Structures are given as structure tokens and as C-alpha cells.
Amino acid sequence: MNPSWLSCSLWLAAALAGAHAQPVITKQPTNQSVSLGASAKFQVSATSTNSPIRYQWRFASADLAGQTNSALNFTNVQVTNAGDYDALLIDGFASVTSQVVHLEVDPTFTKITSGNIVNDGGDLAGCAWGDYDNDGNVDLFVANRAGQNNFLYRNQGTGTFEKITVGRIVTDGSNSRGGGAWADYDNDGWLDLS
């Protein structure tokens, strides 16, 4: 066998193999766990010798219409979005599928996007969650700096909070530096704020 012919054949085989290589995933998407109403994003990255790479995201192995970018973005996530996702990557010659990732949606927490608890200004020094009124719902104390009054929000148990505007906790001008903490320091069964 002619050595130059063998060398040429090996070079041609290597070139053909390279020309017909499938996309190589360089970054796999990762599992996500979010609350109701939150945002989530799956991302996949790849290289290919046969550009461009086309993407097709799938939910439970079914193509998602219009989801043909390297990222799959969710806004206002709902329980129906929970499940398994993957991406099919296709270049000029072959295809490869990303790992299957799971989107978990926790319905026990809801992203709050309106109301006092979201829109009140302030110079936040810290906050503390605690059931100060013993009604079974966790309430929120927000400590402010710069002489501003603190904020106290009573959890109404419906996904809404009532801003408390009377009482020393909220009417004393504050210059909080470390936030606050709830504890029952006098053992009377009611949380106290320090």
C-alpha cells in the first residue's frame, strides 16, 4: 500500500468526520425551582463546525411553538409550567439533545408584585419575619435608616399585607442599622421585637 495514499485517506476520513460532527453542548441547562408568579430561565450553549445551530425547546418531549433560541424564558410561572424540558440542537449535518431538566413550581409561595409591601419607599436596614399577632400568618417588619419610620405589615392570610400605621414599632423615628429580630424574650407566648 502506498504510504502517501494512506496518509491522504486518513486525512480525508478525519476531515469528513469533522465536517459531519454534531453540535457539542458546552453548557447544559440546569433544574429550576421557583414560586408562583416568579421568572425562570433555561439556557443551553453549544459549538459546531457546521454553523448555524438551530434550537428547539421541548416540554415533556413535545416541541414548544416559537421557542427556538438558546434560552427558554418564563415570566409569571404557573403550576402548569412545572415539568421536564430539554432542547434539541441542530446544525447543518446532525442534532443533539440537551439533558432533561425539571422546572419545579412551589404553589405555597406567591410572588407579590403590588401593594405597600412592594411599593413603599424607604432606606432599608433589614427585615424580620414573625407571627407577631399569633394569628398563624407570618408578618413582616422592615427597619429603615436615616430617621425614617419603620414599616410593619400584617399578613392577612390571603396573599395580601395590611400596613400597620399606629404603634411605637412604626411611629418611632428610627435610625436602624442592623434590622430587627423577633423573639419571645419574656416567655409570654407573644413575639417581641429587638
Side-chain angles (χ1 to χ4, degrees):
M1 183 176 272
N2 183 338
S4 63
W5 181 84
L6 179 60
S7 175
C8 183
S9 295
L10 291 174
W11 178 86
L12 183 59
L16 287 173
H20 298 300
Q22 64 188 17
V24 175
I25 295 177
T26 57
K27 180 182 176 191
Q28 292 280 357
T30 56
N31 294 327
Q32 301 282 317
S33 179
V34 297
S35 301
L36 280 176
S39 298
K41 178 180 180 179
F42 292 127
Q43 177 79 44
V44 64
S45 300
T47 61
S48 173
T49 57
N50 299 298
S51 295
I53 299 174
R54 295 176 298 153
Y55 301 88
Q56 177 59 64
W57 284 95
R58 303 184 301 186
F59 176 59
S61 299
D63 289 355
L64 291 169
Q67 299 303 320
T68 57
N69 295 315
S70 62
L72 176 61
N73 293 298
F74 299 88
T75 56
N76 192 23
V77 171
Q78 299 299 306
V79 173
T80 56
N81 298 123
D84 295 328
Y85 293 83
D86 64 19
L88 180 64
L89 289 71
I90 307 159
D91 67 9
F93 184 75
S95 66
V96 65
T97 304
S98 74
Q99 68 185 15
V100 175
V101 291
H102 187 75
L103 178 61
E104 181 178 334
V105 181
D106 184 349
T108 60
F109 291 95
T110 302
K111 182 178 180 180
I112 298 170
T113 58
S114 63
N116 290 339
I117 202 167
V118 175
N119 298 317
D120 277 349
D123 188 11
L124 178 67
C127 65
W129 292 90
D131 182 10
Y132 82 94
D133 56 1
N134 283 348
D135 66 356
N137 298 311
V138 181
D139 310 296
L140 175 63
F141 168 77
V142 178
N144 283 307
R145 289 186 275 259
Q148 294 179 333
N149 287 341
N150 297 315
F151 301 142
L152 180 61
Y153 302 98
R154 184 180 166 274
N155 185 339
Q156 295 180 305
T158 60
T160 60
F161 288 79
E162 169 192 11
K163 184 176 183 179
I164 305 300
T165 58
V166 295
R168 289 188 59 199
I169 289 176
V170 295
T171 58
D172 281 352
S174 175
N175 194 5
S176 301
R177 300 210 186 277
W182 294 104
D184 182 11
Y185 82 93
D186 56 3
N187 290 322
D188 65 355
W190 294 86
L191 289 179
D192 307 294
L193 185 64
S194 65

